[in-house]
Amino acid sequence: EGHDIGMGGNEHVNQLINVVSRIIFETEVSDSINKSNADHAVLFEAVNLIVAWGTTCPLEMLEGAMQILGKFISVREPNIRYLGL
């Protein structure tokens, strides 16, 4: 299934969609502080990319990004909560 993300929906775009989907749906945040920060940073950049794609992004990825932002807001750490805003 090809998606138009401004690049014609070629094989590279589909690979990128697959990688970002895996990041959004399969990344579990670690209990370790340093690894947790890295996990949140990777998730934040994936969400940032999905937001940049806008409506050309698959709907399930947009929904996943919204769930991640909701999780960010619910974290007690103020810096992570700020990312969700």
Side-chain angles (χ1 to χ4, degrees):
E1 166 177 311
H3 299 283
D4 177 20
I5 302 184
M7 296 176 241
N10 63 31
E11 180 182 340
H12 298 296
V13 172
N14 289 330
Q15 288 176 347
L16 184 59
I17 288 170
N18 288 334
V19 169
V20 174
S21 290
R22 288 184 62 199
I23 291 169
I24 289 292
F25 295 112
E26 297 178 18
T27 299
E28 297 199 18
V29 177
S30 173
D31 290 334
S32 165
I33 298 295
N34 289 334
K35 184 151 181 0
S36 172
N37 287 339
D39 292 339
H40 282 103
V42 169
L43 284 168
F44 177 76
E45 290 303 329
V47 168
N48 195 25
L49 183 58
I50 290 169
V51 169
W53 283 340
T55 58
T56 61
C57 186
L59 182 59
E60 60 273 5
M61 288 179 66
L62 287 170
E63 291 170 351
M66 297 308 136
Q67 289 176 352
I68 296 292
L69 290 175
K71 288 179 184 178
F72 281 2
I73 292 171
S74 68
V75 171
R76 289 185 57 197
E77 166 64 42
N79 292 327
I80 304 299
R81 188 178 294 171
Y82 180 76
L83 289 176
L85 297 176

